[in-house]
Amino acid sequence: PWAAHLRSVPASRLQLGHFPTPVVRWQPLEPAPGWEGEFWLKRDDMTGLELAGNKVRKLEFLLEEAVREGADCVISCGGMQSNHCRAVAVACATLGLESHLVLRHEDWAVEDDAAAVADVAMQGNLLMDRLVGAKIWVVTKKEYREQGSEPLMERVRAKLAAEGRKPYIIKLGGSSPLGTWGYIDAFEELRQQAEQMFGKGQGFSDIVIATGSGGSLAGIALANKLTGFGAKVWGFGANDTSEYHHSIINSQILPGMLPEGSPALRSEDLAEITNAKNLGYAMTTPEELDVIRALAARTGVMFDPVYTGKAFRFFAKMYAEAPERFGKRILFWHTGGIFGLWDRQTEFRELVERHAPGDVSAVPRLERAQGDDRAPRLLKGGRGRRPEAASSWRRGCRRRQRPWPPEASFVREEGIPAARRLNPALAFVPPQGPPG
């Protein structure tokens, strides 16, 4: 009811995620001296849709409109390791729509388009994009900076429309007035959870969230204001200045949500935004990655290097310097993005091996008993059977008419060791039945 007066209230949505997501106690930091409070975590990394994080909440509303308008393909944009674009690709595959992703190359400019396309890696979010069949359109940083995301997506839309397709465009990060309804709804979910846990009228003193395109932060901050929940909302910008984020929310999101004639609300009145980009968007320092490593080791919670990792590092620094700025019940809103870790494998390996040298060891070997030639030994493959016993085991299957094990992918070729014939991980083509 508290949101009924907002402009363009969606009539329906798709069901793509798993809600409500948990709210849990955690202890990411040692409490500051004299501060007697609690840390809590909203686990929107558990929204489902192949770990789509906060993106799935927006896509439930945006893709409902795409389906209702009869679109047969969807266009969106982001960086090469965009969490949002990966979520779009997976959601589109779920709905039977074709996805087209305009992804920004890591280089400022390239002389050879073919070389830029060939450089599209198969790791992290990009691996997921390509596994689900997304069509990738590569642009350089220079093109992206000079032309902007929307003109670039419009060029792809025009090409597809000329081919007779019906494309639907999703803005950067899904952050539009319609997409922001995902976090209007998410805040109501949190409000009900807080009431169940703490009692009516009780909640969190502070809500901390990473922000990129502004939609999730805008939805939370606006809902916090309209419900009178009373939390202090902290946004940590992972890709630009606080002025940029306030301007995006003020110019592109709030005008499409607030009814005409309503009291003016500005982003500056709703949330405090801190510039947490450091070196820049998707650019990390060893210190930032080490915060992610230490937090994972301490709490079992993994943050991504692009958004949540940066946001938490700056929040922790702010809390350590001035804990009095925060109340007694702080909620960090985890927005997901775990696949971004795979793009930093080399850096994380160096950090882990530096902090935990020798944490990988071989299992102690069994010693041969003196005079015993039958001592046990470890064998590769065969699911516990000795490789030399494979042929007799196959004969036993046929003789006793036992069902042919579907996971055993044998091949009738000379020169292939029996242990490899018994290893299903090698992905040989399954036979149609037992070899004759």
Side-chain angles (χ1 to χ4, degrees), residues 399-410:
R399 187 167 55 249
R400 294 188 295 273
Q401 299 298 311
R402 286 168 54 186
W404 192 261
E407 72 277 11
S409 301
F410 300 123

Side-chain angles (χ1 to χ4, degrees), residues 33 46 67 124 126 179 209 254 319 343:
M46 296 182 175
V67 171
L126 265 172
I209 187 169
L254 291 180
Y319 170 80
D343 195 41

Side-chain angles (χ1 to χ4, degrees), residues 20-23 41-42 57 185-197 202-204 207 220 229 331 333:
T21 57
V23 176
L41 187 67
K42 176 65 169 166
R57 291 190 184 270
D185 183 75
F187 192 88
E188 174 61 18
E189 175 183 300
L190 176 69
R191 193 181 68 81
Q192 293 180 14
Q193 289 174 313
E195 189 171 297
Q196 291 171 2
M197 291 187 294
Q202 301 297 311
F204 296 96
I207 297 175
I220 289 170
F229 192 73
L331 176 85
W333 204 304

Side-chain angles (χ1 to χ4, degrees), residues 210-289:
T211 185
S213 54
S216 300
L217 172 62
I220 289 170
L222 180 58
N224 178 64
K225 176 72 172 180
L226 295 179
T227 58
F229 192 73
K232 175 69 178 288
V233 179
W234 305 81
F236 288 84
N239 60 336
D240 219 308
T241 64
S242 57
E243 292 78 14
Y244 166 83
H245 289 287
H246 281 307
S247 69
I248 290 293
I249 294 172
N250 285 330
S251 63
Q252 299 185 20
I253 298 177
L254 291 180
M257 304 199 73
L258 298 174
E260 293 183 10
S262 63
L265 278 179
R266 295 184 57 78
S267 176
E268 291 84 351
D269 305 322
L270 302 175
E272 180 170 331
I273 303 179
T274 300
N275 181 355
K277 72 173 183 177
N278 205 6
L279 294 180
Y281 174 74
M283 301 171 65
T284 53
T285 65
E287 293 75 20
E288 288 171 337
L289 297 180

Side-chain angles (χ1 to χ4, degrees), residues 70-73 98 100 156-167:
D72 60 7
C73 57
E98 189 174 88
H100 292 257
V156 175
R157 188 207 65 78
K159 184 178 188 304
L160 293 172
E163 297 170 359
R165 308 296 300 277
K166 297 183 67 176

